[in-house]
Amino acid sequence: MKKILAVDDEIEILKFIEKALTKNGYFVKTTTNPFEVVDILKNDDFDIAIVDLRMPDIDGMKLLEIIKKDFPEIEVLIITAHATIETAIECLKKGADDYLIKPFEIKELLMTVEKTLEIQKLKSQLVSMKEMDKLKDEFISIISHELKTPLMAISGAVEILSDQIKIELERRGFLRRQSDKEMQKLFEIVSRQTDKMKKLVNDLLDFAKMEAGFIEIKKSSCEINKLVNDAIKDIQPLADNKKIELTQEIYSSGGICINCDYEMIKRVIINLLTNSIKYSPESGKISVWFEKTASEVEVGIEDNGMGISKENLAKVFDKFYRVDQSLARASGGFGLGLSICQKIVELHGGKIRAESEGLGKGSRFIFTLPIENVEAR
Ligand SMILES: Nc1ncnc2c1ncn2[C@@H]1O[C@H](COP(=O)(O)OP(=O)(O)OP(=O)(O)O)[C@@H](O)[C@H]1O
Ligand SMILES: [Mg+2]
């Protein structure tokens, strides 16, 4: 049963409120003494306090401030007369949740109470969602930090071992024995999986940093042509593995310099290219293009892969969202790549969007950087 406390110096109003609300299933306590309010609220859990604005002993506004400070979860409804409507608005600014203008009818009172309770429910859901989100971010941050240290040690050891194994195998006559071949294969698995884990942990860490607002953008003047070329160079082996043709098209004459964080924007391009490779069949085609318009530089990555349905187009930028869980899991990744890209682009004052004609019809990812960051050479 929802509990309501009504405070007014006029006993008739209190009686009216008590009768109307009790009849409709609420527990109601009334008082004409505003100085009792804090004690009453301390001793029981109330959902709403209905407070008269004009009381001889204490200003309703003052009482509102006290309740909101000491009992922030209680919603406060102010009762006011027409003449003090401005004051009622002032009360809303000070945290009152709604107001009733005297004289009010039962229907009006009930509607206002119900609306206030509904808002209270939504607020508490929002608070628990925010708390969950915060908890999740903290959890991610702790886990990734804890994983990073041992993983870096493993990665370092794997690198040293890799060199030693190579020397040893060469000394024994490279890969002549079956057991040597098997050892080599096993070692490649360890090395590959360590790299995959490093990418996952780094993505988690970067994501946690970005969510906490701890990411630092180090801008410098970068030539977009070089940025794209460098990204393509890094990603080429992945494309070659799937016999995917990677082409670069430029729709702008002359070099274009942009003021950006080179590593971060390169990472955006690499993330988008990795997706295009991941979500395209063997022998697919990917093209990267960039163009300078009047107000911005646009960079696009287009593939002829599996495409994205209309309803999933906006969702792909959500954190941890993957259209096909099983496929995404098989190819590794948390579904963070695009949300990291979006954060980086937005930190640069740009925008990113996804386009696709539908499933099986390829995808296009386009990001823009504003012209303020752009100087033509
Ligand atoms: N080029 C693309 N073609 C088709 N689907 C895509 C493409 N790029 C992204 N998607 C869809 O959007 C989802 C989210 O992409 P995102 O890059 O954020 O995560 P991911 O690639 O699954 O994992 P990771 O965290 O390693 O990047 C993908 O799981 C995929 O379903
Ligand atoms: Mg990805």
Side-chain angles (χ1 to χ4, degrees):
M1 189 187 265
K2 294 290 177 189
K3 291 183 175 172
I4 298 171
L5 171 68
V7 196
D8 200 317
D9 57 308
E10 285 178 66
I11 194 97
E12 287 311 311
I13 298 243
L14 289 181
K15 274 190 190 157
F16 170 77
I17 292 175
E18 184 171 20
K19 197 168 158 203
L21 293 179
T22 311
K23 223 167 124 186
N24 282 281
Y26 294 100
F27 170 86
V28 182
K29 183 160 178 67
T30 61
T31 178
T32 51
N33 179 6
F35 298 106
E36 283 189 343
V37 168
V38 170
D39 278 340
I40 296 174
L41 294 180
K42 260 188 200 156
N43 291 324
D44 207 346
D45 288 333
F46 281 89
D47 300 286
I48 297 181
I50 304 178
V51 176
D52 186 24
L53 196 57
R54 285 275 152 86
M55 288 183 282
D57 302 326
I58 189 172
D59 185 4
M61 192 100 85
K62 183 78 203 146
L63 191 55
L64 160 71
E65 276 178 31
I66 295 171
I67 299 176
K68 279 290 165 188
K69 184 170 157 276
D70 294 346
F71 310 94
E73 66 290 348
I74 296 180
E75 307 294 300
V76 182
L77 296 180
I78 293 290
I79 306 174
T80 178
H82 259 303
T84 54
I85 186 101
E86 276 92 16
T87 331
I89 291 168
E90 190 59 24
C91 286
L92 289 182
K93 283 190 197 153
K94 290 212 163 148
D97 299 280
D98 209 340
Y99 60 85
L100 285 154
I101 299 171
K102 280 188 211 171
F104 49 84
E105 293 176 8
I106 297 180
K107 212 167 110 192
E108 222 179 318
L109 171 68
L110 285 174
M111 262 173 56
T112 312
V113 165
E114 275 163 24
K115 195 176 84 192
T116 306
L117 287 170
E118 198 55 40
I119 292 172
Q120 187 178 47
K121 197 167 127 196
L122 289 174
K123 270 197 228 164
S124 89
Q125 281 170 353
L126 197 70
V127 167
S128 42
M129 269 165 66
K130 275 189 185 158
E131 276 167 2
M132 284 286 291
D133 219 40
K134 206 171 144 228
L135 214 68
K136 198 185 72 214
D137 289 347
E138 277 168 18
F139 175 72
I140 289 171
S141 173
I142 292 167
I143 289 292
S144 39
H145 271 111
E146 294 305 316
L147 288 176
K148 186 156 184 159
T149 315
L151 196 55
M152 292 321 281
I154 293 172
S155 171
V158 165
E159 232 170 85
I160 295 167
L161 269 176
S162 164
D163 291 343
Q164 286 178 354
I165 286 176
K166 211 169 137 204
I167 293 167
E168 179 60 21
L169 288 178
E170 271 167 4
R171 193 184 62 77
R172 282 165 35 184
F174 194 56
L175 296 182
R176 213 176 291 146
R177 286 190 241 159
Q178 186 59 24
S179 58
D180 284 353
K181 281 184 190 157
E182 272 158 23
M183 186 158 75
Q184 176 82 355
K185 258 192 200 154
L186 287 173
F187 201 76
E188 275 165 14
I189 294 174
V190 173
S191 177
R192 217 171 31 243
Q193 296 301 330
T194 309
D195 283 348
K196 258 191 181 176
M197 269 202 4
K198 255 166 56 182
K199 185 217 171 259
L200 288 173
V201 169
N202 279 334
D203 274 1
L204 272 184
L205 260 177
D206 286 344
F207 172 75
K209 270 194 230 157
M210 285 182 190
E211 286 291 285
F214 288 158
I215 208 85
E216 212 190 314
I217 299 265
K218 294 182 206 109
K219 280 186 186 171
S220 63
S221 176
C222 315
E223 203 176 329
I224 189 86
N225 198 28
K226 179 172 164 23
L227 246 171
V228 172
N229 270 329
D230 288 353
I232 289 182
K233 219 186 277 165
D234 283 4
I235 213 75
Q236 192 70 52
L238 208 64
D240 292 346
N241 263 346
K242 276 181 96 172
K243 299 185 184 68
I244 285 174
E245 191 188 328
L246 245 173
T247 54
Q248 186 183 330
E249 294 161 40
I250 307 160
Y251 299 130
S252 250
S253 54
I256 305 169
C257 269
I258 54 171
N259 194 21
C260 70
D261 188 315
Y262 173 86
E263 285 304 328
M264 285 209 189
I265 297 296
K266 185 174 146 196
R267 182 163 176 195
V268 171
I269 302 171
I270 287 182
N271 267 351
L272 295 176
L273 282 171
T274 310
N275 279 351
S276 287
I277 295 168
K278 252 203 298 196
Y279 304 110
S280 291
E282 291 237 340
S283 312
K285 282 192 169 63
I286 298 172
S287 69
V288 188
W289 51 265
F290 58 86
E291 188 174 15
K292 186 182 163 200
T293 67
S295 59
E296 56 202 11
V297 160
E298 256 189 9
V299 182
I301 283 115
E302 188 165 347
D303 63 60
N304 63 349
M306 61 188 286
I308 303 165
S309 68
K310 253 201 177 76
E311 68 263 31
N312 281 321
L313 269 181
K315 292 191 210 154
V316 292
F317 292 100
D318 290 352
K319 46 195 177 189
F320 299 107
Y321 186 81
R322 296 176 297 190
V323 175
D324 184 336
Q325 291 290 348
S326 52
L327 177 79
R329 201 164 287 134
S331 58
F334 284 117
L336 283 176
L338 286 177
S339 35
I340 292 175
C341 288
Q342 190 177 42
K343 264 264 160 41
I344 295 176
V345 170
E346 283 174 359
L347 280 171
H348 279 82
K351 286 201 177 101
I352 186 164
R353 65 180 194 272
E355 295 174 354
S356 174
E357 302 308 317
L359 279 177
K361 296 190 174 155
S363 312
R364 197 179 309 119
F365 284 81
I366 297 162
F367 71 88
T368 59
L369 295 169
I371 205 82
E372 297 94 80
N373 293 335
V374 182
E375 312 148 7
R377 259 199 185 168

